[in-house]
């Protein structure tokens, strides 16, 4: 695809093939098997189903899921193997040399028909009122394997519905006991609250004691359930899959930018689903990514507003732009401050940057509350080990963050590596249940110092580790001793093999909290902090998480954004912008991966893409920005940093030599606190979302209760 | 090198684009390695932005007051030539900045 020419570059090849090398010895010896008479070479570790998939033969299945353990209990995947009398479950049976598999024989059809008949014996005939209709595995497969007539005269069984909270609706009568949801909660979410009770006909899936599923990843249960037993609560009965338009995009509410599908019907976003992207989110997204989009329909700013004595008054674009221009013309550039919001796209940021610089304003702030990193080199602010680096690493030290609430998807990946790759995890900071065993070794920067001195027992482990990783939350860098902490971490990096030029490995991974922040840093925007500086005009570009005390009382505030939140509340002039589903925008994630969010619907009312507003304003002010359409603005981005137009690609960068040395200083011994007190409401969109409000009401008190299953800290 | 001291006072930002591996970027790469520490020691806040991109034509871009940018293509330049190019960009600063102010 577009990257093929890039892959020929040696540096890149090394970067990407490193992982394959490790696995190659295992992959090299293959055996021959025959699927429906066709010979195929597969590794001996494959199951029959994997071999069939490799041969391009589809095997129907319910319980098998390639990211979870094999349970082999639905029996839908039966195939015939020569010289074996009975049909066998292909998902659980390993291949052997010369095996001859038949997937289309009469025996197979009969066996699958039988399984289907048993499944349907107790499955309700409620497809017309079932939300899964149209995307149901059982429905699809019964079209092929189902019999015309039922032979069961008994009553169908009925099962009481369970309460999984506001996000997952259960109709447990439809459950076919594939146990995918149980495996998910145990293996991926790390929260073993689901299980089966009873036997045979009485089997039920649920939480034993009526507990809610409080995982941040609980929405994924709905995607996993092959039938309509677990369905999307907020989406219930609103649309059918065949009415929906599918837009492949990336989510910006999570700084990992997981790949998502935005489903729209007409002008409305109906739901958000994850897309498979092995290098970002595998196939999971957290509940805020999935459900907070309904905040896009609430509290929206859909017209230009100006603050008057009796509240906000609606004005049209011309008046609004003229007013903004007039105000900005009255002051000199250095009396203006620009603040870039969390969800801003690169297009908006570059237009904002150019516009502000033309005014003579150098004071653009994107680092929320002043994160003290330098934008000079990319290694200063990105996750240098990459998200996939978790798979290779053998020791992770998490500093100053609760990964489960801050980065649930990354946490799921770490959890997988803990259970599969024997990854060891240690935490300095909040000690909460992460869903896997970890060692809590400290609370403050003191521990970092001890490790550096070698007096802490963890130092020995760090010394022995081959590819250690240190995950540092960017919130630590906005403390007053932020730079000193960074310096400490860099020293650690040099002392232990966190930074290892031979292996082309830099384990110092900074987790930024928002794409707007990363985007600004990518374009080289850092603010000069001037203490006591009182701006006359503050331009908030979608910024809601600012500190109100930093804006003087008498400053004129222009808010360009989407929601009636903190920013709009303080604003004197409001310009309606577009949210992430309403514009085509480029974003950079914590990895440095450049992703393109696609336009799914148009902004409500008078809303416009953010860069267009800035372009119009600049023209009125006589500093016209030199681009008229998206293409041209992307050329401009490429001019500033050419790697920012290589989509869905992580540009390799010098991560071992070119790093800005942080200034050493004294660290304060205060505790690294958990930064997210309410996972469901952290930005303007999620604060406006009714679903997120319901979630915080339903889950937050449970999360803080003592009954959360704790994993003993080893 | 005299320009180090002038850098932060004359220009607002120095931006260097280079390729990680190509030989045409060798000069600018060693320029960065050699000068970075010194620039930072004299002006720790000065944005000395380095962006790498495969096969990118190496560029030095200086930003002056009011967003005026001047760029020099340094393809195949030696480290000394890059140094010279940067120095030239700094020399131009006065005339560019004053031009804008009268404007
Ligand atoms: S609820 Fe769905 S996912 Fe869970 S066991 Fe039943 S059918 Fe499978
Ligand atoms: S997929 Fe093989 S038994 Fe369920």
């Amino acid at each position: 695809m577009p990257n093929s020419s890039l892959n020929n570059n040696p540096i890149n090849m090394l970067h990407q093939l490193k992982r394959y090398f490790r696995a190659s010895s295992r992959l090299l010896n293959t055996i021959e098997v025959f699927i429906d008479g066709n010979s195929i070479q597969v590794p001996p570790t494959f199951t029959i189903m994997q071999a069939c998939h490799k041969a391009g033969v589809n095997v129907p299945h319910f319980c098998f899921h390639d990211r979870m353990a094999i349970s082999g209990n639905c029996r839908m995947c039966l195939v015939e193997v020569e010289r074996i009398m009975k049909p066998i479950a292909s998902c659980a049976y390993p291949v052997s040399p010369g095996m001859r598999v038949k997937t289309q024989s009469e025996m197979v059809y009969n066996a699958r028909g039988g399984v289907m008949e048993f499944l349907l014996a107790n499955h309700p005939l409620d497809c017309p009122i079932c939300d899964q209709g149209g995307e149901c595995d059982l429905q699809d497969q019964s079209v092929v394997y189902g019999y015309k007539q039922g032979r069961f005269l008994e009553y169908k069984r009925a099962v009481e519905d369970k309460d999984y909270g506001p996000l997952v609706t259960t109709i447990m009568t439809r459950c076919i006991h594939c146990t995918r949801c149980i495996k998910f909660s145990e293996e991926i979410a790390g929260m073993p609250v689901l299980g089966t009770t009873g036997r045979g006909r009485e089997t039920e899936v649920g939480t034993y004691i009526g507990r809610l599923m409080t995982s941040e990843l609980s929405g994924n249960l709905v995607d996993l359930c092959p039938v309509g037993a677990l369905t999307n609560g907020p989406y219930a009965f609103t649309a059918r899959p065949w009415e929906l338009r599918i837009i492949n995009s990336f989510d910006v509410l999570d700084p990992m930018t997981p790949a998502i599908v935005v489903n729209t019907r007409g002008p409305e976003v109906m739901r958000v689903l994850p897309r498979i992207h092995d290098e970002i989110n595998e196939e999971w997204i957290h509940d805020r990514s999935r459900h907070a989009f309904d905040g896009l329909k609430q509290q929206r700013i859909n017209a230009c507003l100006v603050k008057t004595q009796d509240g906000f008054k609606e004005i049209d674009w011309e008046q609004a732009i003229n007013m903004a221009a007039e105000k900005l013309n009255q002051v000199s550039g250095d009396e203006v401050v620009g603040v870039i919001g969390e969800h801003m796209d690169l297009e908006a940021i570059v237009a904002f940057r150019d516009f502000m610089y033309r005014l003579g304003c150098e004071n653009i702030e994107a680092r929320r509350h002043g994160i003290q990193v330098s934008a000079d080199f990319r290694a200063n602010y990105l996750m240098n080990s990459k998200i996939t680096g978790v798979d290779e690493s053998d020791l992770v030290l998490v500093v100053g963050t609760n990964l489960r609430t801050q980065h649930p998807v990354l946490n799921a990946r770490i959890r997988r590596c803990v259970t599969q790759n024997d990854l060891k995890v240690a935490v300095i900071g909040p000690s909460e249940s992460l869903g896997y065993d970890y060692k809590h070794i400290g609370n403050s920067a003191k521990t970092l110092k001890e490790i550096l001195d070698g007096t802490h027992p963890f130092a020995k482990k760090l010394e022995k580790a081959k590819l250690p990783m240190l995950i540092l939350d960017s919130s630590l860098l906005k403390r007053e001793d932020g730079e000193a902490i960074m310096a400490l971490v860099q020293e650690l990096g040099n002392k232990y093999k966190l930074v290892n030029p031979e292996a082309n490995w830099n384990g110092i991974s900074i987790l930024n909290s928002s794409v707007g922040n990363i985007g600004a840093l990518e374009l080289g925007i850092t603010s000069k902090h001037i203490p006591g500086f009182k701006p006359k005009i503050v331009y908030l570009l979608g910024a809601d998480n600012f500190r109100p005390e930093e804006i003087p009382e008498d400053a004129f505030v222009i808010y360009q954004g989407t929601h009636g939140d903190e920013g709009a509340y303080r604003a004197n002039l409001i310009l309606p912008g577009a949210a992430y589903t309403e514009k085509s925008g480029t974003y950079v994630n914590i990895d440095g991966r450049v992703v393109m969010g696609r336009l799914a619907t148009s902004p409500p009312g008078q809303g416009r893409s953010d860069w267009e507003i800035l372009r119009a304003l600049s023209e009125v002010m006589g500093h016209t920005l030199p681009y008229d359409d998206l293409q041209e603005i992307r050329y401009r981005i490429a001019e500033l940093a050419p790697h920012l137009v290589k989509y869905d690609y992580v540009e390799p960068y010098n991560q071992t030599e070119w790093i800005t040395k942080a200034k050493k200083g004294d660290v304060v011994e205060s505790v690294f606190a958990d930064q997210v007190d309410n996972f469901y409401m952290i930005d303007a969109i999620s604060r406006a979302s009714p679903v997120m409000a319901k979630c915080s009401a339903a889950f937050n008190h449970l999360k803080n209760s003592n009954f959360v299953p704790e994993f003993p800290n080893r | 090198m005299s320009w180090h001291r002038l850098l932060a006072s004359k220009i607002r930002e120095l931006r260097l684009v280079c390729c990680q591996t190509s030989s045409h970027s060798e000069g600018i790469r060693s320029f960065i390695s050699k000068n970075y520490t010194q620039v930072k020691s004299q002006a720790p806040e000065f944005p000395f932005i380095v962006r790498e991109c495969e096969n990118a034509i190496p560029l030095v871009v200086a930003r002056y007051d009011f967003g005026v940018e001047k760029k020099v293509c340094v393809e195949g330049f030696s480290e000394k030539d890059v140094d010279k190019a940067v120095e030239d960009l700094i020399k131009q600063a006065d005339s560019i900045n004053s031009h804008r102010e009268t404007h």
Side-chain angles (χ1 to χ4, degrees):
Chain A
M1 283 243 320
N3 287 341
S4 61
S5 65
L6 301 170
N7 285 339
N8 296 335
N9 189 305
I11 195 182
N12 200 24
M13 214 140 88
L14 204 76
H15 196 77
Q16 302 201 332
L17 290 186
K18 215 164 42 174
R19 273 196 304 148
Y20 301 138
F21 279 141
R22 282 174 226 269
S24 55
S25 65
R26 206 155 35 97
L27 293 178
L28 276 181
N29 61 46
T30 54
I31 55 173
E32 188 181 30
V33 292
F34 299 89
I35 312 288
D36 290 337
N38 300 324
S39 140
I40 181 169
Q41 293 285 341
V42 294
T45 50
F46 265 32
T47 60
I48 297 179
M49 185 184 280
Q50 280 172 312
C52 288
H53 283 171
K54 196 174 175 203
V57 175
N58 191 24
V59 180
H61 56 273
F62 293 116
C63 69
F64 175 79
H65 190 280
D66 47 5
R67 288 180 208 274
M68 297 188 293
I70 296 160
S71 55
N73 53 351
C74 75
R75 313 316 275 185
M76 195 60 205
C77 61
L78 295 174
V79 293
E80 186 181 349
V81 175
E82 227 176 62
R83 288 198 303 277
I84 296 184
M85 295 270 286
K86 290 195 281 184
I88 55 173
S90 64
C91 70
Y93 206 89
V95 289
S96 50
M99 186 180 245
R100 288 175 185 274
V101 180
K102 292 187 204 158
T103 65
Q104 308 293 336
S105 66
E106 201 183 330
M107 179 207 213
V108 170
Y109 267 86
N110 283 337
R112 289 178 188 168
V115 170
M116 183 55 78
E117 198 174 4
F118 274 122
L119 287 176
L120 292 181
N122 270 322
H123 193 82
L125 296 171
D126 59 355
C127 298
I129 56 147
C130 175
D131 248 346
Q132 192 83 357
E135 46 190 4
C136 173
D137 288 357
L138 189 65
Q139 202 177 34
D140 294 348
Q141 290 175 26
S142 68
V143 172
V144 184
Y145 300 104
Y147 295 140
K148 268 192 293 210
Q149 270 150 359
R151 287 187 286 172
F152 288 85
L153 301 174
E154 301 92 359
Y155 286 113
K156 286 184 188 259
R157 75 178 197 145
V159 180
E160 213 173 299
D161 291 344
K162 311 285 187 298
D163 182 10
Y164 284 8
L167 296 181
V168 182
T169 306
T170 62
I171 300 103
M172 292 317 274
T173 307
R174 295 180 191 147
C175 174
I176 57 167
H177 308 120
C178 71
T179 66
R180 273 190 193 179
C181 56
I182 300 170
K183 288 184 284 181
F184 176 83
S185 74
E186 264 177 33
E187 292 168 24
I188 314 283
M191 197 174 267
V193 291
L194 296 182
T196 52
T197 48
R199 293 196 57 126
R201 207 185 132 97
E202 307 301 323
T203 312
E204 286 186 25
V205 172
T207 55
Y208 307 104
I209 49 171
R211 272 249 330 272
L212 297 189
M213 170 90 184
T214 54
S215 167
E216 285 75 12
L217 296 167
S218 68
N220 296 300
L221 290 175
V222 174
D223 299 337
L224 289 173
C225 185
V227 296
L230 306 179
T231 54
N232 190 327
Y235 168 74
F237 310 125
T238 51
R240 283 298 197 183
W242 54 86
E243 306 169 331
L244 299 173
R245 214 155 62 89
I246 294 168
I247 294 119
N248 290 339
S249 185
F250 287 88
D251 177 48
V252 305
L253 303 179
D254 181 344
M256 268 172 86
T257 65
I260 54 167
V261 176
V262 180
N263 279 158
T264 60
R265 186 179 60 188
E268 209 182 340
V269 178
M270 299 310 289
R271 68 171 172 185
V272 169
L273 296 176
R275 215 153 32 99
I276 294 178
H277 197 306
D278 275 324
E279 285 161 42
I280 309 179
N281 57 329
E282 300 179 281
E283 60 179 279
W284 323 117
I285 55 176
H286 61 61
D287 291 349
R288 193 151 32 79
S289 294
R290 185 188 297 262
H291 289 293
F293 72 87
D294 71 333
L296 298 175
K297 301 169 196 168
Q298 309 283 337
Q299 297 274 26
R300 281 306 292 269
I301 297 168
N302 56 10
C304 305
L305 300 168
V306 63
K307 196 187 234 162
T308 59
Q309 250 114 30
D310 27 73
F312 283 108
K313 201 176 101 228
E314 220 177 291
I315 51 176
D316 61 25
W317 268 115
E318 202 180 333
Q319 286 169 310
I321 294 279
N322 283 336
M323 179 184 280
E326 194 187 313
K327 289 283 178 193
L328 285 167
N329 271 332
Q330 277 166 12
V331 298
S332 79
D334 44 17
E335 291 168 318
V336 184
V337 162
V339 187
I340 298 171
E342 305 101 83
H343 303 321
M344 276 299 138
D345 49 326
L346 284 177
E347 287 80 357
I349 297 173
V350 83
F352 193 59
R353 166 194 185 277
D354 287 351
F355 174 62
M356 288 309 227
Y357 287 162
R358 266 155 220 251
L359 293 183
C361 164
E362 291 284 322
N363 244 312
I364 310 177
E365 178 62 272
R367 308 173 294 178
R368 256 161 78 193
H369 310 167
I371 291 166
Q372 298 159 37
V373 293
S374 148
D376 293 354
F377 299 121
R378 298 183 77 208
N380 290 341
Y381 55 86
L382 290 179
M383 180 161 177
N384 292 316
S385 59
K386 307 282 154 268
I387 295 168
T388 47
V390 175
D391 301 4
E392 298 165 48
S393 172
D394 51 353
L395 180 67
V396 174
L397 175 59
V398 182
V399 182
T401 175
N402 175 356
L403 280 180
R404 209 193 78 221
T405 52
Q406 293 249 44
H407 297 271
V409 182
L410 181 63
N411 195 42
R413 189 183 275 266
I414 294 179
R415 195 198 130 77
R416 175 169 63 69
C417 295
V418 168
T419 50
Q420 292 179 5
N421 298 1
D422 206 17
L423 172 71
K424 295 277 181 285
V425 182
V427 173
I428 301 179
S431 95
E432 307 255 346
S433 147
L434 294 182
Y436 46 85
D437 290 345
Y438 67 88
K439 203 167 172 77
H440 185 246
I441 59 170
N443 265 330
S444 66
K446 200 176 117 212
T447 318
L448 283 176
K449 264 191 181 158
E450 283 171 9
I451 298 174
L452 186 62
D453 298 344
T455 49
H456 198 283
F458 183 74
K460 287 222 176 58
K461 285 195 190 152
L462 199 55
E463 212 160 333
K464 269 190 243 140
K466 286 198 195 75
L467 294 175
M469 214 168 130
L470 189 150
I471 293 180
L472 182 71
D473 192 65
S474 68
S475 65
L476 291 182
L477 304 177
K478 62 189 178 206
R479 290 162 41 126
E480 50 194 294
D481 58 346
E483 197 160 3
I485 292 179
M486 191 67 216
L488 209 55
V489 167
Q490 284 179 350
E491 270 183 85
L492 270 178
N494 296 334
K495 177 158 180 199
Y496 303 101
K497 284 209 174 138
L498 281 167
V499 182
N500 185 349
E502 285 136 52
N504 191 22
W505 172 264
N506 183 345
I508 300 178
S509 302
I510 295 160
L511 294 190
N512 261 297
S513 53
S514 71
V515 285
N517 190 349
I518 305 168
L521 287 167
E522 281 285 329
L523 292 168
I525 300 173
T526 50
S527 88
K528 291 170 194 64
H529 189 66
I530 309 164
F533 168 62
K534 289 226 180 313
K536 292 218 173 103
I537 295 189
V538 180
Y539 200 126
L540 300 173
L541 185 71
D544 285 293
N545 290 348
F546 54 86
R547 287 187 190 145
E549 68 269 17
E550 272 169 15
I551 300 177
E553 290 276 299
D554 55 349
F556 186 83
V557 178
I558 304 172
Y559 175 77
Q560 172 182 333
T562 54
H563 281 75
D565 204 71
E566 304 282 323
Y569 178 69
R570 174 62 189 82
N572 299 79
L573 177 66
I574 299 177
L575 307 173
Y580 69 104
T581 53
E582 294 153 7
K583 59 187 168 192
S584 170
T586 318
Y587 304 91
V588 184
N589 80 352
I590 51 174
D591 255 6
R593 179 182 297 273
V594 183
V595 298
M596 164 107 64
R598 293 222 164 72
L599 176 113
T601 59
S602 48
Q606 298 179 9
R608 291 280 179 284
S609 275
D610 292 279
W611 74 268
E612 288 172 5
I613 300 172
L614 291 160
R615 166 72 176 71
L617 184 55
S618 73
E619 191 169 338
V620 172
M621 293 191 65
H623 305 301
T624 315
L625 296 175
Y627 22 81
D628 297 326
D629 55 31
L630 268 179
Q631 199 79 50
E632 285 176 25
I633 199 164
R634 284 178 184 152
Y635 278 134
R636 170 70 183 145
I637 293 174
E639 193 182 26
L640 291 172
H643 69 279
L644 294 178
V645 289
K646 291 185 180 171
Y647 299 106
D648 202 4
Y649 178 65
V650 185
E651 183 74 35
Y653 53 90
N654 186 332
Q655 42 177 329
T656 50
E657 280 166 62
W658 289 356
I659 300 170
T660 310
K661 281 242 159 27
K663 244 205 303 338
K664 281 186 212 169
D666 289 334
V667 290
V668 190
E669 294 212 343
S670 58
V671 173
F672 293 164
D674 194 350
Q675 293 296 316
V676 176
D677 46 346
N678 183 355
F679 164 76
Y680 298 103
M681 290 193 170
I682 65 167
D683 48 31
I685 297 175
S686 52
R687 279 193 290 260
S689 152
V691 174
M692 290 293 106
K694 276 188 212 153
C695 288
S696 20
F699 295 134
N700 279 347
H701 67 283
L702 286 175
K703 287 193 181 170
N704 301 330
S705 90
N706 292 333
F707 292 104
V708 177
E710 282 287 341
F711 286 82
N713 294 346
R714 233 192 264 132
Chain B
M1 278 167 237
S2 54
W3 58 265
H4 281 129
R5 226 166 309 119
L6 289 174
L7 186 65
S9 59
K10 297 283 181 196
I11 61 179
R12 300 285 189 146
E13 172 189 309
L14 194 65
R15 178 179 287 276
L16 302 115
V17 175
C18 63
C19 169
Q20 300 94 329
T21 44
S22 311
S23 57
H24 60 52
S25 294
E26 226 154 70
I28 188 167
R29 284 202 304 270
S30 62
F31 171 83
I32 295 165
S33 299
K34 282 236 176 92
N35 290 287
Y36 185 70
T37 349
Q38 207 179 340
V39 168
K40 280 284 140 171
S41 67
Q42 299 199 339
E45 292 275 292
F46 180 78
F48 185 96
I49 312 286
V50 177
R51 291 295 175 262
E52 295 151 87
C53 177
E54 275 157 32
N55 302 327
I57 296 167
L59 290 176
V60 178
V61 186
R63 181 163 62 77
Y64 305 93
D65 292 356
F66 297 101
V68 180
E69 286 176 7
K70 281 260 152 3
K71 74 177 165 196
V72 185
C73 167
V74 292
E75 186 168 359
F77 277 33
S78 71
E79 189 208 320
K80 254 225 210 95
D81 295 340
V82 177
D83 202 292
K84 177 98 192 350
V86 172
E87 204 174 343
D88 282 348
L89 285 171
I90 296 170
K91 272 193 198 141
Q92 292 173 32
D94 283 332
S95 72
I96 291 172
N97 288 347
S98 64
H99 174 74
R100 176 57 197 250
E101 259 148 45
T102 52
H103 180 62

